[in-house]
Amino acid sequence: MSSLSDNIHVLARQEAFKDFSYFDEETVPANVGKLIPLQFLKPTSAIILTGYIPENASRFSVNLTCKTSGNIALHFNPRLDRGYIVRNTRLRGSWENEETCSPAGSSGCIFRRNSYMHLMIFCTNDAFQIAINGEHFCSFYYRLPLADITALEVNGTIEDIRTRQLNLFVYPDPNICRPSRTLILTTEEPLVDFLDVPITVGIGSEFRVGASLLIAGRLKLLPHSFYVNLQRGKTIYPHPLIPLHLNPRFLYGNSAPYVVMNCWNNGTWDHEERHQGHLSWMPGRDFLLTIRCEYEGYTIWLDNKMIGEFKHRLQSSIVDTLRISGDVVLYQLSMN
C-alpha cells in the first residue's frame, strides 16, 4: 500500500513541476535540515530557493543562521496549517518579537500544497526583501548584522530543495521577478480592482499644488502599522526618492497610535516627525485617508479631520509612484 501512495506522490510532484514556471537551472540540490554554507552577505546579495510543497505540508521554515550557535538572523516560517507566515530572529537561543502576516498575494494564497515555489531573499542596506514566485512579498528589517550570517537552513515539510546565491543590482529584478500588474492612477477614473497590498501604482498626472490623493480602505483587525509613500521610481533597490512617507503605527497597551512622517533623500531618511493625539483609527473599521498637496506642504486628513501636516522637503512634482504596504485592506484609490 505504501508503494502505491509513494507512486501517487511522485506523480503529483512531477505534474506540479510541469506547472512551475520559475525553475532556475543554476540552482543546486540541497537537503532538508542540513546547513548550506553561504558566501559573505552584503547589500545586493541574493539567495534563491525553490522547493516542492507536498499535499500533506503543514509548515516549513527558511533560516539564515549565524556563526554564533543558536543565532538566526532571519526565520521565515509559512504555517499552512494556520494560514499565516511568521518572521523572526533568534538571539542566544531565545526568539525575539515575531512579525506575522497573511500569505495572500495578488493571485490568492502564495503557498499552495502540491505545488512548487520560488523564494528570493535579497539584502539591502537595512532589510531583507523577500519575493515569492516572482513578486515582492514583504520586508524584514535587520536585527543582527549581515556579516554574522554563515549558512542557509531549510526545515519542515518541503521537498526537492534547490538553492543558489548571486548578486543583483536592481530589486525586484525584471529578469527574475515578473513585473506585477501595471496600475496607473489618473484624475479621470478611480482604481477599485487589483488593490492587494503591498501595492505599487503609477501616478499618471503631476502631483502638484491643489492635487488630492484619496485612499479608502479598512484597517485589519490586529494592525501593527502600514505606510503610504509618495515616491519617484518603482524599485525597492536602489531606494527611490520619497517626498512623503506616511506611517501610522498602532501600539497596544499604554501607547496611543501615532503617525510618523518623513522623507528619503540623499541615500538616507531625513529627521522624522511624529504626530500624536486622538486618532480615530479603529481595527476592522473603514476609513478615508486624504493627502492634499498644499503650497507649503502636505496636509493629511482622516475622514473629515486633519491629523497632521508635513512641510515640503522635496518638490512634489517629482512624485510618479504611490506605494502602500502593511496592515490595511484597500477599497479604492482616487485623485482629484
Side-chain angles (χ1 to χ4, degrees):
M1 194 68 170
S2 64
S3 62
L4 177 61
S5 60
D6 288 348
N7 289 339
I8 292 170
H9 179 77
V10 169
L11 286 171
R13 196 163 95 178
Q14 289 171 348
E15 285 300 312
F17 186 74
K18 288 179 186 174
D19 294 334
F20 184 48
S21 56
Y22 290 98
F23 180 70
D24 187 319
E25 291 182 356
E26 295 183 47
T27 55
V28 296
N31 292 323
V32 172
K34 296 284 180 66
L35 291 180
I36 304 157
L38 293 171
Q39 298 161 23
F40 182 79
L41 291 181
K42 62 185 190 299
T44 72
S45 294
I47 298 162
I48 288 176
L49 183 149
T50 64
Y52 172 68
I53 304 170
E55 193 64 54
N56 65 341
S58 56
R59 55 182 69 181
F60 65 91
S61 62
V62 177
N63 297 326
L64 296 182
T65 65
C66 300
K67 51 195 171 190
T68 302
S69 179
N71 283 7
I72 297 176
L74 171 66
H75 172 70
F76 183 77
N77 178 207
R79 300 182 179 179
L80 287 79
D81 53 344
R82 296 291 183 86
Y84 64 89
I85 295 169
V86 169
R87 298 165 301 209
N88 209 342
T89 294
R90 195 167 76 182
L91 184 59
R92 300 185 198 92
S94 296
W95 291 108
E96 304 277 287
N97 291 331
E98 71 180 28
E99 297 176 11
T100 61
C101 62
S102 158
S106 59
S107 54
C109 187
I110 57 170
F111 294 113
R112 288 194 292 274
R113 293 180 175 92
N114 192 28
S115 67
Y116 274 80
M117 64 99 192
H118 179 291
L119 182 147
M120 179 198 291
I121 300 170
F122 178 73
C123 304
T124 63
N125 294 315
D126 57 358
F128 299 109
Q129 307 293 339
I130 299 171
I132 311 294
N133 296 334
E135 289 190 12
H136 173 69
F137 175 65
C138 67
S139 306
F140 184 77
Y141 284 93
Y142 300 143
R143 302 179 189 177
L144 290 170
L146 275 181
D148 287 1
I149 297 168
T150 56
L152 170 70
E153 179 186 44
V154 184
N155 292 311
T157 40
I158 184 166
E159 302 172 6
D160 195 18
I161 300 164
R162 298 175 65 94
T163 70
R164 76 169 167 124
Q165 187 175 341
L166 68 160
N167 285 318
L168 297 174
F169 298 99
V170 175
Y171 175 87
D173 184 322
N175 296 318
I176 299 173
C177 296
R178 68 172 181 264
S180 16
R181 189 186 301 274
T182 303
L183 295 173
I184 304 291
L185 179 60
T186 64
T187 52
E188 279 76 48
E189 194 172 354
L191 293 177
V192 292
D193 294 320
F194 313 114
L195 300 184
D196 300 297
V197 175
I199 187 171
T200 303
V201 176
I203 293 179
S205 49
E206 189 175 298
F207 202 74
R208 57 181 186 271
V209 174
S212 292
L213 170 69
L214 289 80
I215 301 167
R218 168 173 56 80
L219 206 53
K220 289 191 175 177
L221 282 173
L222 292 171
H224 176 266
S225 70
F226 73 93
Y227 69 77
V228 177
N229 284 349
L230 294 179
Q231 62 188 48
R232 181 180 190 171
K234 291 183 169 59
T235 61
I236 292 172
Y237 185 94
H239 204 293
L241 289 173
I242 304 177
L244 176 64
H245 169 73
L246 179 69
N247 177 206
R249 298 179 186 176
F250 309 93
L251 302 172
Y252 295 102
N254 299 325
S255 303
Y258 60 93
V259 178
V260 169
M261 298 186 201
N262 209 338
C263 108
W264 175 283
N265 191 23
N266 294 323
T268 185
W269 288 110
D270 211 337
H271 62 276
E272 72 177 31
E273 299 176 13
R274 290 194 175 196
H275 296 261
Q276 291 176 300
H278 176 69
L279 301 178
S280 54
W281 302 103
M282 294 295 289
R285 295 279 184 85
D286 294 351
F287 66 82
L288 178 64
L289 182 66
T290 305
I291 301 171
R292 296 180 185 168
C293 184
E294 316 276 6
Y295 181 72
E296 291 191 347
Y298 304 98
T299 57
I300 317 300
W301 300 73
L302 181 58
D303 297 322
N304 56 4
K305 179 182 176 183
M306 192 170 88
I307 60 170
E309 51 189 325
F310 186 78
K311 295 278 193 290
H312 291 305
R313 302 180 194 173
L314 290 169
Q315 285 188 323
S316 64
S317 59
I318 71 169
V319 169
D320 62 12
T321 302
L322 165 69
R323 180 164 173 81
I324 302 174
S325 184
D327 299 322
V328 287
V329 175
L330 297 178
Y331 300 148
Q332 180 175 298
L333 303 173
S334 57
M335 264 184 68
N336 58 38

